[in-house]
Amino acid sequence: MTRKAPRRTAERILGTTLALFNRFGEPNVSTTMLSAELNISPGNLYYHFPSKDELVNTLFDQYQVAADELLSASGDVRDVEDAWFFLHSLFELIWQYRFLYRDVGHLLSRNRRLETHFPAILLRKRTALLEMLETLRPSSAATAEESPRDAIAASMVVVLTYWLSYEYVLQPRTALEPENAQDALLRGAYHVMSLLAPHLDEDARTHLQGLMHAYHPVTH
């Protein structure tokens, strides 16, 4: 049996950093803590990533690439089932890099790269959600009413951005633990889709309500 090649040190550092940032929050994870968890010397850590900001920026870049790829699929949304899957996928990606959202205020206040690049992701989300709303809107909807759809898309982005913070405030000791991920994601997707429901035609709304009932998450 061929032995699997060991992961490169930089990849292992990033994987461990992401896990610790997600569990404890970026402000609470020091490079000393990272070195100890990885069982490497601080010098080895600094060789690969000279500062904690370098770790944050590299993880953010990974998230940005994944987000751009996912958001580009918004044009493939054709019905409410596609929309449910698309929104749940957005929440799954946010969960994977949840430290960015859990500590967003802190990170934006001290990291210039995130300050200048994170807003672009939110705007990209709003554009993608607008595209989805345009596809799903009733054929009888007035074409001139752009503002309501923009407001709906903005509200969806707000829920996507701050849902995990809301979960954390309600249950700060357990909300962001991996075993609670599925319920947290379902609750978030449920509430985002609830924003969409009133703006669908009757058949699509009935279908959506059936999906929401089938996947109804445990509520707080």
Side-chain angles (χ1 to χ4, degrees), residues 42-111:
N44 196 1
L45 176 62
Y46 291 133
Y47 171 79
H48 292 281
F49 298 97
S51 68
K52 195 164 76 163
D53 274 349
E54 286 291 325
L55 287 162
V56 171
N57 291 341
T58 303
L59 290 171
F60 174 75
D61 288 346
Q62 291 180 351
Y63 168 71
Q64 188 172 31
V65 169
D68 285 343
E69 181 178 355
L70 177 55
L71 292 170
S72 68
S74 62
D76 297 331
V77 174
R78 292 290 178 263
D79 53 37
V80 292
E81 287 193 20
D82 290 344
W84 178 271
F85 179 78
F86 177 68
L87 290 168
H88 199 276
S89 296
L90 282 175
F91 272 108
E92 285 181 333
L93 182 59
I94 289 170
W95 179 269
Q96 185 180 351
Y97 291 90
R98 57 193 176 275
F99 83 93
L100 292 169
Y101 290 82
R102 171 179 175 167
D103 304 315
V104 62
H106 168 82
L107 289 168
L108 292 180
S109 70
R110 57 177 293 275
N111 186 300

Side-chain angles (χ1 to χ4, degrees), residues 12 16-17 19-20 23-24 31-40:
R12 190 164 68 91
T16 300
T17 300
L20 292 179
R23 183 172 184 184
F24 299 110
T31 53
T32 301
M33 182 178 178
L34 280 169
S35 299
E37 182 72 16
L38 288 157
N39 195 27
I40 62 175

